[in-house]
Amino acid sequence: MHLTGPAAPKRRKSVTMCALPSRTQTREIVTSSPVRASARSALTLPPADTSVARARNLVEAALAEWAADDLTDDALLLVSELATNAVVHAGTDLEVSVELLGDAIEVAVTDRHPARTLPAPADAVDEDFENGRGLFLTSALAGAWGVDYTSSTKRVWFRLALTVGALPAPRTRAPVDGEADPSFPGVGTVRLDADGVVVAADANAAALLVRDVTDIVGRSWLSLCDPADAGTLVTASAAARWQGSYPVLRGDGGVRRVQARHVRLAGSDGADAATVCVIVDHRLRSLLADLPAAATAAAAAVGPFAGAPEALVRLELATVLDRTVAWARDALGGEGAYALLVTDDDGQLELRSVAGLRLDTDRVPRRAGEGLTGRVSRDLLPVVHLDLAATVSGMSSAEPWLQAAGVRSVVSVPVLAEGRLIGTVGVTSSQPSAFTADDGATLQRGVDSVALAVQSARVAEIERRRHGWLGYLAEAGELLAGTLEPEMTLALVAQLVAPRLGPWCAVYLVDESGRSERATVWHSDEERMEDLRAYLDSVPAPDPPPTRSVTRWLPPVAEPTAGSHSATGDLAEAGGHVVALIARGRALGALVVGHAGPRDVDGRRQQLHLLTDLAPRAALALDNARLYAERTATSRSLQRSLLPPELPHLPGVEVGVVYEASGHGNEVGGDFYDVFPLDGTGRFAFAVGDVCGKGPEAAAVTGLARHALRLLGRRGDDIPAVLAHLNTAVLAEGSRARFVTLVYGEGRVAADGGLELRFASAGHPAPVVVRSGGAAEQVGTAGDLLGVFATAETRVESLRLAPGESLVCFTDGVTERREGRAMLGEEGVVSALTGAASLPAGHLARRLEAAVSAFTPAPARDDVAILVLRANPVGEPVRPRRPAE
């Protein structure tokens, strides 16, 4: 196989020994002209014993590549002798080279000890002596041999003549549609199904087997091969990629050894779908052999990055493809060029780069099916199509996307990475028969030089895209988890989808009757919002798909009214896709994503995959928001039931209340307050309490305490009896019992307009009295908690408030307000209330609440309940304000 060009002309002075038939040697100095080399391999070795074996390996590999096996034994024997002489006698580094000349193989050993002694080869060698054998063997076996001297080197070489006619002229051209080589079968292609049955074969394969194509197709490939080497076929069939040789059975009864390369192709579902076998006569096996490093470098020298191959590692995929396409067009003299790459998700081909072509991108083939692209993908070989307008191999209308661009002829080659197809590159012309098979070979070499770079950049692009998708899903999940408001969640879902996954989005929710209602809609172009709503109003709501898969949504459109079609016609024509919103096994509704146009269905395939990942997250967020809203409504309703429906109208008494629950709207607090009349004489009772804990258990004890106080107080029980009965009732709750702190008291309006009060504290913070002069002080003594001891000790305190004076009762959410290790405490409460005697009861309660909020900006960790009783200075009743909850 011709891999390198001719060396630069030069002349050298040589000492040449020519082998004569009589084996009589003559010594003469000749000046020889250089011979054009078809290929050359060389290796520099140290003066060590292992170098001889490495020299043999180099020569053996080269002869095998050049199909000169008949010279291998002689060449290995002679190179061993010459390399041994160089190691033993020269003692310097040596270079071993092997060249394929026009009619011979030349092997040379060069050392750096240029002693100008040239002993004549012996006529015979004594069996008792080891020395002298090298030149004797060289003289006996080589067609020609000699020594070349320079001032610093000595080169000993020999040539072995190739057998005339041993090798047919190798066919290195790419196949051309409708063309066959009658003189000798070239590279043949056979396609096998998953069971090893031949499903397709070309003319060259049939010629190699000396059979008709119809005699090959439909038969097991194993049955067409020599059973004596069946083990090799079994090994080849089990491997994803295999290269080697085995004998095949000819139709004329003979056997032919072929060199074969097997490549297993993967189906769309990842399973093995077929195997492509590329075969050639064993004597031409170099056509299928893997190129050595020197050949690879030579091939790279003709590619688009021949001048700077190191730049490949720094370029993005788009840049590599653009430069490859531009080089391909210029190198082949075409009018246009293109590159198709296989997508990472479904194996479809997509147009990634184009030069000099006016293409309707929607017509570019989406799958590697029939036609030119299909043949390149199937055979993994270059294909030249001479005329797209002519019927050749049934491909007359196989490439409408190229025909629509005015293309008549095209050459296309596969882009292969590790034996697998990752794309195709083609060059086009508006003239028929513009390309030859040699053009296909040139294009293939250039594309091969960048194939690994394309694959590397493609993998990097896929990884970046996947990281972007993962980041998008993670960000979407974080945003959806950041709110529990149903309306906000709906808005987030719609705006996360559009425009990333489509130009518009609509969310439909299923009500209790099972009917779908549109909950929200969003268009990336706000000016189209009204058009979108009009379109969705004109079509029936989608039914949620039974599974989590994405389905096409193209509903029938009602008859348009005047002027409506122009505004919504493009939306109706494009349609969209719909996916079910399913959370916790319950169908919540459907998510509809619109298309930008009628041909956008396949163009957003990856976005639709993302939609299947986003839909469950959106459904769970919507369901969480729904459950949270229901729980919040339930909690607020329960909280209201634990507080007085309204404060009573008490003549001569101002009542001010503040209540603030620390829960997040769905957690019931344990603090409570109450004020209620006892009888028709003007007496009333008041209470401020705190049940340990939060939630339903605390709410149960809170309800028990408030209703028990009302029942016992109105029954006429004195304060100690009320607290004792309540303590017994709390203890009776057993494991559900929660201890309770409480200030409970009774009062009445005195004749002078003041208030006469009696109260007791059961482990509760002491109330504060705000005197008319502005002073504030704590009053009362705390007794035992309720719900802890079988008998709770209480002490009843008496207090008189002059007109304008107030009693402020509060829970520990006020005194235990924290900022780091500091607490507001009783001192802070007294300080906040000092000087506030002139404030009405409601304002006084708000002042204390403001002091609590100002102590720290952190959210409250405990409930706050404040109750203020103020003797009306003018004797007129003031209706208390309902507290904010």
Side-chain angles (χ1 to χ4, degrees):
M1 181 171 59
H2 300 292
L3 300 178
T4 63
K10 66 178 181 179
R11 302 179 67 86
R12 67 187 178 191
K13 199 169 188 179
S14 303
V15 177
T16 305
M17 304 298 294
C18 299
L20 302 178
S22 63
R23 297 198 180 278
T24 301
Q25 305 295 331
T26 62
R27 301 179 63 187
E28 59 180 340
I29 304 297
V30 301
T31 302
S32 59
S33 299
V35 180
R36 175 173 176 173
S38 300
R40 182 179 186 274
S41 295
L43 186 63
T44 300
L45 301 171
D49 293 341
T50 57
S51 297
V52 178
R54 295 177 64 185
R56 286 197 300 268
N57 292 339
L58 172 69
V59 173
E60 184 178 17
L63 296 183
E65 179 184 351
W66 302 330
D69 293 342
D70 55 327
L71 304 181
T72 300
D73 292 339
D74 291 348
L76 294 183
L77 177 60
L78 296 183
V79 77
S80 297
E81 292 293 338
L82 297 183
T84 301
N85 286 339
V87 171
V88 173
H89 299 294
T92 65
D93 288 347
L94 61 146
E95 180 190 77
V96 180
S97 65
V98 55
E99 287 184 280
L100 174 61
L101 305 179
D103 57 356
I105 303 295
E106 181 180 281
V107 179
V109 177
T110 304
D111 61 55
R112 301 188 179 278
H113 186 70
R116 296 180 180 269
T117 59
L118 184 61
D123 293 333
V125 177
D126 191 334
E127 295 181 357
D128 295 332
F129 296 93
E130 293 294 331
N131 60 333
R133 295 179 181 272
L135 293 181
F136 174 77
L137 293 174
T138 303
S139 173
L141 299 177
W145 67 277
V147 181
D148 297 338
Y149 291 103
T150 68
S151 61
S152 60
T153 64
K154 177 173 83 271
R155 177 177 180 269
V156 183
W157 56 269
F158 64 85
R159 291 179 189 159
L160 300 175
L162 291 169
T163 303
V164 177
L167 292 177
R171 179 176 178 175
T172 59
R173 301 170 59 214
V176 178
D177 291 328
E179 180 186 55
D181 186 351
S183 62
F184 190 86
V187 177
T189 303
V190 179
R191 186 180 180 92
L192 312 178
D193 64 12
D195 297 324
V197 177
V198 179
V199 295
D202 62 9
N204 285 338
L208 283 167
L209 273 68
V210 194
R211 300 174 184 269
D212 292 332
V213 173
T214 56
D215 186 35
I216 300 175
V217 175
R219 297 180 60 176
S220 169
W221 182 243
L222 189 60
S223 69
L224 296 171
C225 301
D226 190 348
D229 206 2
T232 301
L233 265 295
V234 173
T235 301
S237 301
R241 294 187 341 171
W242 182 88
Q243 180 174 306
S245 66
Y246 50 78
V248 295
L249 302 176
R250 293 162 47 124
D252 58 5
V255 177
R256 166 175 272 159
R257 177 165 287 275
V258 296
Q259 184 78 8
R261 173 175 290 181
H262 290 207
V263 178
R264 188 181 303 163
L265 305 179
S268 58
D269 57 353
D272 294 335
T275 299
V276 172
C277 302
V278 182
I279 59 176
V280 69
D281 188 277
H282 183 62
R283 292 169 293 174
L284 298 178
R285 58 188 177 276
S286 59
L287 295 180
L288 296 185
D290 292 330
L291 297 180
T296 303
V302 301
F305 295 90
E310 67 280 358
L312 281 170
V313 299
R314 302 192 300 268
L315 299 180
E316 299 290 336
L317 177 60
T319 304
V320 175
L321 291 177
D322 290 345
R323 288 190 51 180
T324 299
V325 166
W327 168 86
R329 181 186 61 176
D330 297 340
L332 272 62
E335 299 173 9
Y338 62 88
L340 303 173
L341 283 190
V342 177
T343 59
D344 61 302
D345 56 341
D346 50 17
Q348 293 186 344
L349 284 170
E350 60 179 352
L351 184 68
R352 295 300 302 268
S353 182
V354 63
L357 283 174
R358 293 183 178 273
L359 294 178
D360 181 355
T361 55
D362 292 307
R363 297 183 183 177
V364 171
R366 296 297 181 183
R367 294 192 178 277
E370 298 299 326
L372 173 66
T373 304
R375 181 174 176 186
V376 174
S377 304
R378 180 177 65 252
D379 297 342
L380 303 181
L381 289 171
V383 172
V384 178
H385 211 318
L386 299 177
D387 194 349
L388 291 177
T391 301
V392 180
S393 302
M395 296 169 59
S396 59
S397 60
E399 308 297 344
W401 61 287
L402 288 176
Q403 290 177 299
V407 173
R408 290 291 299 275
S409 58
V410 59
V411 53
S412 180
V413 300
V415 184
L416 300 174
E418 299 180 348
R420 298 182 67 88
L421 180 79
I422 62 172
T424 65
V425 173
V427 181
T428 66
S429 173
S430 61
Q431 302 298 320
S433 303
F435 304 105
T436 66
D438 290 336
D439 292 329
T442 300
L443 180 60
Q444 185 68 75
R445 287 195 299 271
V447 170
D448 287 345
S449 71
V450 298
L452 291 179
V454 170
Q455 174 68 347
S456 177
R458 175 174 172 266
V459 171
E461 180 185 84
I462 292 172
E463 288 303 314
R464 285 194 300 270
R465 189 184 305 138
R466 287 178 177 171
H467 281 304
W469 299 333
L470 292 176
Y472 165 72
L473 290 175
E475 182 181 0
E478 184 177 354
L479 288 172
L480 292 172
T483 179
L484 289 172
E485 295 293 333
E487 296 300 324
M488 179 63 73
T489 304
L490 282 169
L492 279 175
V493 170
Q495 295 181 37
L496 283 170
V497 171
R500 182 65 183 266
L501 305 183
W504 60 267
C505 170
V507 179
Y508 289 80
L509 297 181
V510 179
D511 59 19
E512 296 179 356
S513 64
R515 185 177 58 180
S516 292
E517 294 288 345
R518 192 171 74 243
T520 190
V521 64
W522 181 257
H523 200 293
S524 56
D525 183 358
E526 295 187 8
E527 295 182 356
R528 298 298 309 275
M529 287 289 289
E530 292 303 321
D531 295 340
L532 178 59
R533 289 192 180 97
Y535 165 62
L536 295 177
D537 288 339
S538 66
V539 299
D543 294 325
T547 64
R548 297 181 185 270
S549 61
V550 180
T551 60
R552 187 81 168 91
W553 188 67
L554 194 62
V557 182
E559 288 295 329
T561 59
S564 64
H565 182 73
S566 60
T568 63
D570 60 328
L571 298 172
E573 185 181 5
H577 275 84
V578 60
V579 62
L581 295 173
I582 301 175
R584 300 181 175 92
R586 174 174 173 264
L588 304 182
L591 178 64
V592 180
V593 181
H595 296 147
R599 294 178 178 175
D600 190 38
V601 179
D602 292 327
R604 291 185 172 268
R605 189 173 301 275
Q606 186 57 56
Q607 288 88 329
L608 297 181
H609 290 328
L610 278 177
L611 186 59
T612 61
D613 291 331
L614 180 63
R617 292 170 169 81
L620 188 61
L622 288 171
D623 197 45
N624 288 340
R626 177 187 62 84
L627 293 175
Y628 184 84
E630 293 177 354
R631 182 178 175 183
T632 299
T634 301
S635 298
R636 287 176 176 172
S637 178
L638 177 59
Q639 189 78 68
R640 286 192 296 269
S641 70
L642 300 178
L643 300 175
E646 60 180 11
L647 295 177
H649 178 71
L650 300 176
V653 182
E654 287 184 7
V655 180
V657 174
V658 167
Y659 183 84
E660 181 181 351
S662 63
H664 298 286
N666 60 357
E667 193 172 27
V668 182
D671 290 12
F672 66 94
Y673 64 89
D674 202 359
V675 179
F676 54 91
L678 293 176
D679 51 35
T681 62
R683 293 177 59 246
F684 63 91
F686 62 93
V688 173
D690 186 2
V691 176
C692 175
K694 297 180 182 299
E697 294 82 1
V701 178
T702 299
L704 169 67
R706 195 175 74 82
H707 290 92
L709 289 175
R710 285 202 169 207
L711 177 63
L712 295 172
R714 286 174 174 170
R715 192 176 68 176
D717 291 2
D718 196 13
I719 294 176
V722 170
L723 297 182
H725 287 306
L726 179 58
N727 182 59
T728 301
V730 173
L731 289 174
E733 291 293 304
S735 61
R736 297 184 302 173
R738 301 292 185 95
F739 67 82
V740 180
T741 67
L742 179 69
V743 171
Y744 174 75
E746 300 175 354
R748 67 182 184 86
V749 179
D752 61 352
L755 289 178
E756 295 179 354
L757 304 175
R758 297 175 62 247
F759 66 92
S761 175
H764 201 78
V768 173
V769 174
V770 180
R771 298 298 182 181
S772 57
E777 59 180 352
Q778 287 186 285
V779 294
T781 303
D784 293 338
L785 301 171
L786 302 182
V788 177
F789 306 106
T791 302
E793 296 183 0
T794 58
R795 179 178 177 180
V796 178
E797 306 281 349
S798 297
L799 178 67
R800 176 179 174 80
L801 297 179
E805 295 182 339
S806 303
L807 177 69
V808 182
C809 303
F810 44 87
T811 59
D812 58 4
V814 173
T815 55
E816 295 181 3
R817 181 69 163 175
R818 294 179 178 274
E819 172 64 25
R821 295 186 178 182
M823 288 195 307
L824 181 64
E826 288 82 358
E827 297 82 359
V829 174
V830 171
S831 176
L833 296 177
T834 299
S838 62
L839 295 179
H843 291 182
L844 193 60
R846 293 294 181 186
R847 176 166 179 159
L848 181 56
E849 178 197 24
V852 173
S853 300
F855 189 73
T856 175
R861 294 187 297 176
D862 199 359
D863 302 338
V864 171
I866 302 173
L867 172 66
V868 178
L869 299 176
R870 183 170 185 265
N872 191 351
V874 296
E876 294 295 332
V878 177
R879 180 171 294 277
R881 295 173 55 191
R882 180 78 176 120
E885 300 175 8

